[in-house]
Amino acid sequence: MGNIDKGIRTILAVAIALLYYFNVIEGTLAYILMAVAIIFLITSLVNFCPLYTLFGFSTCKLEND
């Protein structure tokens, strides 16, 4: 997972948390979005997204040897 991808995931997670905190989102939508935010934070912290492996996608820069 690349740095830009991790940054975007973190920003989205913080934005969702702020929307929840300020009661902009509520109910079922809030719980679903908070779950997504938690997943975004976890995957950015561990530098691994299972869906990327499943679909063969990568946001890492390739190293030239």
Side-chain angles (χ1 to χ4, degrees), residues 12-35:
L12 285 174
V14 170
I16 292 169
L18 288 173
L19 288 173
Y20 180 75
Y21 179 76
F22 290 112
N23 293 322
V24 176
I25 55 174
E26 50 189 31
T28 304
L29 176 64
Y31 294 126
I32 292 170
L33 289 177
M34 287 301 288

Side-chain angles (χ1 to χ4, degrees), residues 1-16 36-37 40-41 43-44 52 59:
M1 183 178 296
N3 288 332
I4 294 174
D5 190 12
K6 290 190 296 187
I8 291 170
R9 287 172 181 263
T10 303
I11 290 169
L12 285 174
V14 170
I16 292 169
V36 169
F40 278 173
L41 280 177
T43 57
S44 67
Y52 285 1
T59 59

Side-chain angles (χ1 to χ4, degrees), residues 39-61:
I39 292 169
F40 278 173
L41 280 177
I42 291 171
T43 57
S44 67
L45 289 174
V46 297
N47 296 327
F48 178 72
C49 180
L51 290 177
Y52 285 1
T53 305
L54 184 66
F55 294 115
F57 185 73
S58 176
T59 59
C60 285
K61 291 183 179 181

